[in-house]
Amino acid sequence: MQRIRLRYTKRGRLRFTSHRDFQRAFERALRRAEVPMAYSAGFTPHPKVSYANAAPTGVGSEAEYLEIGLAQFRDPELLRALLDESLPAGLDVIEAVEARTPGLAERLQASVWQLRLDGVEVDEARRAVAAFLAADTVEVQRSTKNGIRTFDCRAAVTRFEVTEGPDDLDATRQDADRPQDRACAILRLVVRHLTPAVRPDDVLSGLHATADLAPPVPAAVTRLAQGPLDEDTGTVTDPLAPDRDAVAVPAGSA
């Protein structure tokens, strides 16, 4: 069985696609592209598709990952193009590599998030971020199926900064429907994948708790990257790099 790992996006209004909606759309794309899927055993076989750490509904993403198992060999780039053509614009398959190393899900240790805060002055955002980083703990609450849960969101945040100028998504216009003539602060943060998972809306709750920052309109949130966390630099690296390196250096070579 050949295993292919894919990186895909959720852009523009498609950020409101739920994970279940994406699963249905992706399975239809597999059928349209006539992908020779491998299936699980048992009375109700399912195509071998593994999803890894999907972004929440309403959040854009440039770095979602999944893995599929094929019954027949296919060129990863040709497969990527066929699947991309079979999905709606905004759900874009932008990279495909053959899986040659184990543990993709375990490599997704942290995410880089961008938060666009319309109606918030840059200086106000900087003061709020500084207050958040200065706190030892920042407790927030989240409603779960078992009731209200309180947890610390500060420990998961390894980097947090406010950037100036246009955001990094102008080319794809994640937020093209938003006004451009008002104050706007762009926040960039790196968040570890802990248990419980700390989401961008938890960090926004933390900014409200520590600095009383309350954006007048909902934040436009986009995941820019996810992958292994470099502890020395605090950066998030490419989770597909080990598979590419395995192709570049054939097994058994010096």
Side-chain angles (χ1 to χ4, degrees):
M1 180 181 73
Q2 183 188 27
R3 294 180 298 126
I4 302 292
R5 289 169 177 165
L6 304 172
R7 177 186 175 193
Y8 67 96
T9 70
K10 288 173 59 181
R11 293 171 172 163
R13 296 185 183 276
L14 270 296
R15 67 185 182 273
F16 296 108
T17 303
S18 71
H19 182 54
R20 183 168 294 181
D21 289 338
F22 173 78
Q23 286 178 308
R24 286 193 287 261
F26 186 69
E27 289 179 8
R28 286 195 296 269
L30 290 171
R31 291 192 292 270
R32 290 194 194 101
E34 299 181 345
V35 177
M37 293 297 297
Y39 282 80
S40 62
F43 291 104
T44 56
H46 297 286
K48 290 194 172 183
V49 183
S50 298
Y51 301 91
N53 197 41
T57 303
V59 170
S61 180
E62 295 295 306
E64 300 296 286
Y65 293 92
L66 60 82
E67 181 177 300
I68 59 176
L70 305 184
Q72 301 173 21
F73 179 85
R74 289 292 185 271
D75 177 85
E77 176 54 27
L78 292 178
L79 179 64
R80 183 208 64 77
L82 286 171
L83 287 172
D84 187 51
E85 290 174 1
S86 301
L87 284 166
L91 298 177
D92 305 317
V93 183
I94 59 176
E95 193 170 5
V97 300
E98 186 170 2
R100 293 176 177 265
T101 59
L104 174 63
E106 287 73 18
R107 291 179 212 157
L108 304 182
Q109 299 170 350
S111 289
V112 181
W113 296 100
Q114 177 175 287
L115 283 63
R116 179 187 174 97
L117 307 184
D118 285 296
V120 176
E121 298 287 350
V122 170
D123 288 344
E124 181 186 6
R126 286 200 176 111
R127 287 192 295 270
V129 168
F132 182 95
L133 291 175
D136 292 329
T137 61
V138 179
E139 289 194 344
V140 297
Q141 293 184 329
R142 184 194 302 162
S143 179
T144 70
K145 62 181 180 181
N146 297 320
I148 300 297
R149 182 170 190 177
T150 301
F151 59 95
D152 173 29
C153 71
R154 174 63 184 88
V157 178
T158 64
R159 294 183 67 181
F160 203 176
E161 60 187 352
V162 181
T163 64
E164 293 191 56
D167 63 77
D168 290 344
L169 302 173
D170 280 338
T172 56
R173 294 318 313 157
Q174 293 278 0
D175 49 354
D177 54 338
R178 290 173 172 261
Q180 305 298 313
D181 58 351
R182 65 168 69 177
C184 177
I186 306 297
L187 278 55
R188 182 77 57 80
L189 62 156
V190 176
V191 180
R192 294 178 187 271
H193 298 167
L194 303 180
T195 303
V198 172
R199 305 182 306 207
D201 55 321
D202 298 320
V203 176
L204 288 171
S205 296
L207 290 174
H208 185 267
T210 56
D212 200 30
L213 180 68
V217 296
V221 180
T222 303
R223 174 152 52 197
L224 300 180
Q226 63 172 323
L229 178 63
D230 187 318
E231 297 288 352
D232 293 330
T233 64
T235 58
V236 174
T237 60
D238 184 358
L240 299 183
D243 298 299
R244 289 195 216 89
D245 294 342
V247 173
V249 182
S253 62

